[in-house]
Amino acid sequence: MAQSSAIHVKGIGKRFGSFVALSQVDLDIRAGELVALLGPSGSGKTTLLRIIAGLEWPDQGELLLNSDNALRRGVRERQIGFVFQHYALFRHMSVLENVAFGLRVMPRRRRPGDAEIRSRVQRLLELVQIGHLGDRYPSQLSGGERQRVALARALAIEPAVLLLDEPFGALDAKVRKDLRRWLRQLHDRLCMTTVFVTHDQEEALELADRVVVLGHGRIEQVGTPEEVYGAPRNPFVFDFLGQVNRVRCQVRGGRPLVPYAHIEQMNGDGAQDGPGTLYVRPHDVVLQRDPAGPATVRFVGVVGPVVRLEVEVIMGAPVLEAEMPHHVYAGYRFTAGDRVSVRFRAATLFSDVAGEQLLSPADLSLTSAAL
Amino acid sequence: MATRPRSAVDARTEPSPVRWLLITVALLFVAIFIVLPLVSVFTEALRQGFGAYFGALADADARAAIGLTLTVAAIAVPLNLVFGVVAAWAIAKFDFRGKSLLITFIDLPFSVSPVISGLIYVLLFGLQGWLGPFLSEQGFKIIFAVPGIVLATIFVTFPFVARELIPLMQEQGTDEEEAALVLGASGWQTFRRVTLPNIRWGLLYGVLLCNARAMGEFGAVSVVSGHIRGLTNTMPLHVEILYNEYNFVASFAVASLLALLALVTLAAKSGIEWKIGRGLTGRGH
Amino acid sequence: MSSSALLDRPAGRGHDQQRRAAARVETLDLTQASPPTSADASPPCLADARPKAAWRPRSIIPGFGLTLGLTLAWLGLIVMLPLVALFARAASVDPGRFIETVTSERVLAALQLSFGAALAAALANAVFGTLLAWVLVRYRFPGRRLVDSLVDVPFALPTAVAGISLTALYAENGWLGAPLAELGIKVAFTPLGVFVALVFVSLPFVVRSIEPVLQDLSPEIEEAAACLGASRWQTIWRVIVPTLFPALATGFALAFARAVGEYGSVIFIAGNLPGISEIAPLLIVIKLEEYAYGEATAVAAVMLLLSFVLLLAINLLQRWSRSHLERR
């Protein structure tokens, strides 16, 4: 297996003092794949990327790049294209010189001639659509342009692998979206193995072939965007990807005791009896007008692509969030105070394992904001 | 236009009489303590006209002193330049235990009296010192000779370049260096093509200040020099000798050269500050 | 001499890095510090190949061993070794003679003058330096940039030049000495002359320490104070001055340290009367010229210790005020 993958990570661990940044990380990335490392801050995603690049050294573990033991090679010899979070453009060099740098510092026998460097740089600048900016200096560029320069500079050395650290982190929302689409197209054209780090789930889900969800220095789940969003493997991934209702409940015979709601489809493999948590996406919460229903509508928000409702269950359960398309809402016209019945179209049950790490409320609000 | 109530003056400034009073006091202070001494150097030097002035500078001993001062600076400044860059690289680009202690030690020469700076070399290399007798047997003479002057000068100018570069390089971080390394540059290529261009103005700044101090140092050099005319007399020492011989015009003539050096240094310093723009380095000046 | 070069950098990134580094770097070992670029035939498992990985600095930037080694060597040779020689020499002086030397009337008078005049000069500069910094940062007037540059003159002007020039100014027939003499004030060749010379050499420190802090002071703070009903004077006294205090203490300490050891600018104007206007550094020179190395070393050691204690006290005060400020 390992021989066929472009990046093979096995048992990688890294600590900074007493802080465990990564522990026992295994990961295989196929040639030509576009992979996102997704996780909250402190999850170890950037550390993993920097270890792959050779900017950081693991305490233990194995790293193969195209079947070659990369830990024997320093950062210079790995031929990695790395786009830094804040681009790290050389501020005293023009755009041309920035992009040419990797070629100019090659050993003399491998270094292309001046004319060759010039034409290659120009081609790269055309590729990233800033051919007209060659003589500018980094301080004269916009954020999006700097990003493109950083990308061109990384591509100039014809890297085996392209790594990007929070590539869109420093850009504003509009530019971010455009660049994201453009990067996807560029990847499809170059077919280069690409790994990028992000804390923005939308970015990861939209852009990547596969998403690696990291938390607390461990890989929580690896899969296509559909897999990680549709079938999160554990509460961490559920909490981190998309908004979710968490319903505390008791588990008896593998079923949750939730008296106020009917559950149509139960996911999750065999929760043990005892305390558990039921995870329900807001769009899986179905409401029906019912004067004898167990819940009351508290809030209706009609602005935005979907209608958002908050429902309070009378028997002391938490407030549930529900979402429905406008055309469905049009059939009901709920208002605050309406009594309703509740149905969960799909729900996933996990046992509460002692000591299990859940996201803190602060992290949750962050993920909601990102959606 | 509505009239503003008295209390509506800008919350961040004082009434104009107070302002002008403060400005006047500050300017008087600068005039008395800085401008007048500076002006008096040149008027005293030219008291007997340009003929006497240039005559004093053409004197053989004066020329020897100028030559020695230039020689000493030409040795001490490059050495401290290299040291400063090397120390700043180690301190700014890496984390290690004991870093702040190291910075404190590098700063030590700033807080040691120049006289004591000279004394420590006398104690080490003088005839009554630790190494003096041994070196003297080998035919080396350090104290009351040029090597002692060079050593004392290196000591007093030790921190200048490093102190200028450390905050600058710390602020610039290691991103650009990492980028260069990822792109395949060697350590030396990274330093020469990425780091050096980024610190060149700070480096020049440090060298200027280092040079001004190296050429103007008096106390430390005075202790180790032995004041041998034509041999171990630097310009500042020559100023003292002439002054003590009541040869005021000659003394001030040599002094005026040093004052000119100071003014040129300050002008260049202002030029650099203008070039890099105040605050680019994140510091006040 | 550049003042900013001397200032404490504010606690921040550097400190954090140091703290993290302290946690990470177990021992300083130069031989282990070279970056792992060599293609040595290490087995795939790093845990075996690099058992000392925790020692090396986190950075992949090369040259740590080389640069730190050179730094320590040069520092050791030029600074530490001679300073150790001084204290070793002082320790080898017979204790009885050491005490006799440093408690002799002439030495005590010289120390008193050096430290007293240096404190007075640093205090004067604390007041006028703060005023000057305020005027330079806050007000716009013609020639402001020139005045700002002139503040650095004492850094750049060789002390001997300053010494003879101040003497010429304050001598009884000088530009300032003559009018002062008519008022019955004698400056040159008296302790007052020492004070004047020390004010000159230590003038830039307070100004240069305070200027950046004053520049960075957020306007909102003062506007907030004004909104809350504070008068201008209350705003300055209760909001601005406490903020400036750590920088002021730094500037004061630097000015004092410079003044206490000053030699070149003082010896010309002081007159050097033993017991009256003779400063401690001059006394060291005199003892050296008499080949009384032991006595010279004793005076030097006492000077170094006294200024060390004083600077430590100022440093503690500054640290206290800074933490006090940050907690609020």
Side-chain angles (χ1 to χ4, degrees), chain A residues 26-144:
Chain A
D26 299 326
L27 181 62
D28 271 295
I29 293 169
R30 292 183 291 274
E33 224 180 353
L34 177 55
V35 169
L37 301 181
L38 174 67
S41 55
S43 60
K45 54 191 191 302
T46 295
T47 306
L48 180 57
L49 194 78
R50 289 172 63 89
I51 284 175
I52 296 172
L55 290 166
E56 208 82 70
W57 234 255
D59 298 333
Q60 69 270 139
E62 197 179 320
L63 170 66
L64 304 183
L65 294 179
N66 294 322
S67 310
D68 178 62
N69 179 5
L71 294 183
R72 277 190 0 211
R73 299 186 187 281
V75 56
R76 293 179 58 202
E77 295 132 33
R78 287 197 195 175
Q79 269 220 323
I80 295 271
F82 197 98
V83 175
F84 289 80
Q85 183 174 5
H86 300 289
Y87 317 133
L89 296 181
F90 306 128
R91 64 196 102 175
H92 62 285
M93 296 180 196
S94 67
V95 166
L96 275 172
E97 281 309 306
N98 260 285
V99 178
F101 183 88
L103 302 172
R104 291 209 195 282
V105 297
M106 278 182 179
R108 201 174 293 276
R109 62 198 146 72
R110 283 203 290 129
R111 193 188 308 159
D114 218 41
E116 162 74 8
I117 289 181
R118 223 158 247 291
S119 74
R120 249 161 92 176
V121 168
Q122 194 55 43
R123 255 181 295 148
L124 277 164
L125 291 181
E126 304 291 346
L127 178 73
V128 298
Q129 298 164 351
I130 48 169
H132 56 294
L133 296 177
D135 294 326
R136 298 266 191 97
Y137 282 82
S139 60
Q140 301 166 313
L141 301 178
S142 72

